[in-house]
Amino acid sequence: MLCQENTIHYCSWTFVVGGVLYLLRQMTTHTPYGRYVDKKSSGIMVPAKAGWFIQELPSFLVPVLLFLTTESLPGIGRHLLLWTFCLHYFQRTFVYSLLTKGRPSPLLIVVSAVIFCSMNGFLQGHYMLHCTQYHSEWHRDTRFITGLLMFFTGMAINIHSDYILRNLRKPGEVSYKIPRGGMFDLVSGANFFGEIVEWCGYAVASWSLPAFSFALFTICSIGPRAYHHHRYYLEKFKDYPKSRKAVIPFLL
């Protein structure tokens, strides 16, 4: 399959511009999913498990289908793609979605996520399989090694933080509690911090515009959500640790 350079270029910059616009929007309002869903809304709601499975699946399925059905360039690019990008979305699709105890999401949010994940799955998959060519020593490059360390560190933080959140409440409990342990001792949005570290690591390891654009979009989309969570905790719990930051340890 020939590299669609213009498509890669325009999609990447769409993510950059879209991410900044989304960041600005979230400064004044909440994206209506999770704790911010309007309980009085009459719109169609999708159960949490089904919603997460449906919306995350394209990010895993599209690159895998590209890998299986098209000729790809030899080298480390496709392995980097499969063992990092697809690994994350395999976990989110087939593990996280089955374990989540989250609230139902509006159908519009799920459909929007499906569209985004389909686009991003194609962008990252097509670029890694059909466009980029790394030199034979790339696996020894400092950027590659540093990026992979960041990716797997972030993934571990993300998974551990999700585990803490799932076990905050006993069966039947509905009230929110203060998460404690792991990175939650430093930031309110430990799960978001882990995912940001993941995709920044992926961007460093792959050293590509598509990966950097996705990392930026991730920061712009879930960074503000961590900030809103932080404000919520501070307002709700009088004993909430004042030393915790929102999403970046010791800074923000």
Side-chain angles (χ1 to χ4, degrees):
M1 184 176 181
L2 294 176
C3 175
Q4 305 298 318
E5 294 184 6
N6 287 337
T7 300
I8 294 294
H9 179 80
Y10 290 127
C11 281
S12 297
W13 282 105
T14 296
F15 280 12
V16 171
V17 175
V20 173
L21 293 177
Y22 192 29
L23 171 66
L24 296 176
R25 179 180 181 276
Q26 289 196 97
M27 292 177 68
T28 58
T29 186
H30 302 294
T31 302
Y33 71 92
R35 70 184 61 180
Y36 304 113
V37 170
D38 184 359
K39 297 180 181 179
K40 299 180 181 179
S41 174
S42 59
I44 299 175
M45 304 296 288
V46 181
K49 286 181 169 59
W52 278 104
F53 179 85
I54 293 169
Q55 69 188 42
E56 300 290 286
L57 181 60
S59 285
F60 173 78
L61 192 58
V62 172
V64 170
L65 288 176
L66 286 173
F67 178 76
L68 294 176
T69 61
T70 64
E71 292 186 11
S72 59
L73 295 172
I76 201 169
R78 57 182 180 177
H79 299 292
L80 175 62
L81 169 75
L82 288 176
W83 293 111
T84 52
F85 186 85
C86 289
L87 177 63
H88 170 89
Y89 281 106
F90 178 88
Q91 193 275 333
R92 298 295 286 183
T93 304
F94 299 104
V95 180
Y96 175 81
S97 68
L98 299 179
L99 296 175
T100 185
K101 299 177 181 178
R103 296 181 177 182
S105 295
L107 178 61
L108 179 61
I109 294 295
V110 175
V111 172
S112 299
V114 167
I115 294 172
F116 175 82
C117 287
S118 298
M119 289 179 59
N120 191 46
F122 176 81
L123 176 63
Q124 307 302 330
H126 176 58
Y127 182 81
M128 282 294 183
L129 293 173
H130 308 124
C131 299
T132 188
Q133 296 189 53
Y134 296 103
H135 58 75
S136 59
E137 296 298 309
W138 182 253
H139 64 286
R140 297 180 181 176
D141 192 284
T142 302
R143 290 166 291 182
F144 179 79
I145 297 171
T146 302
L148 283 190
L149 288 174
M150 289 174 62
F151 179 88
F152 286 109
T153 299
M155 188 173 187
I157 293 172
N158 181 251
I159 292 173
H160 181 248
S161 300
D162 284 337
Y163 170 80
I164 292 175
L165 292 175
R166 281 197 306 271
N167 291 278
L168 271 181
R169 291 174 286 188
K170 297 178 181 179
E173 291 183 334
V174 294
S175 61
Y176 284 99
K177 296 182 178 180
I178 299 175
R180 302 183 188 277
M183 285 301 297
F184 280 112
D185 290 339
L186 297 177
V187 293
S188 298
N191 50 331
F192 300 128
F193 171 72
E195 189 160 355
I196 288 172
V197 171
E198 267 190 270
W199 295 124
C200 287
Y202 176 74
V204 172
S206 62
W207 208 253
S208 67
L209 176 60
F212 276 108
S213 68
F214 177 45
L216 177 63
F217 190 94
T218 299
I219 294 170
C220 292
S221 61
I222 64 178
R225 194 165 181 84
Y227 173 75
H228 291 314
H229 281 18
H230 184 66
R231 292 290 301 273
Y232 173 86
Y233 288 135
L234 288 173
E235 294 173 3
K236 184 175 178 61
F237 302 107
K238 293 182 179 180
D239 60 338
Y240 194 74
K242 298 298 188 292
S243 60
R244 286 190 194 181
K245 299 301 182 180
V247 65
I248 302 177
F250 312 112
L251 296 177
L252 179 64

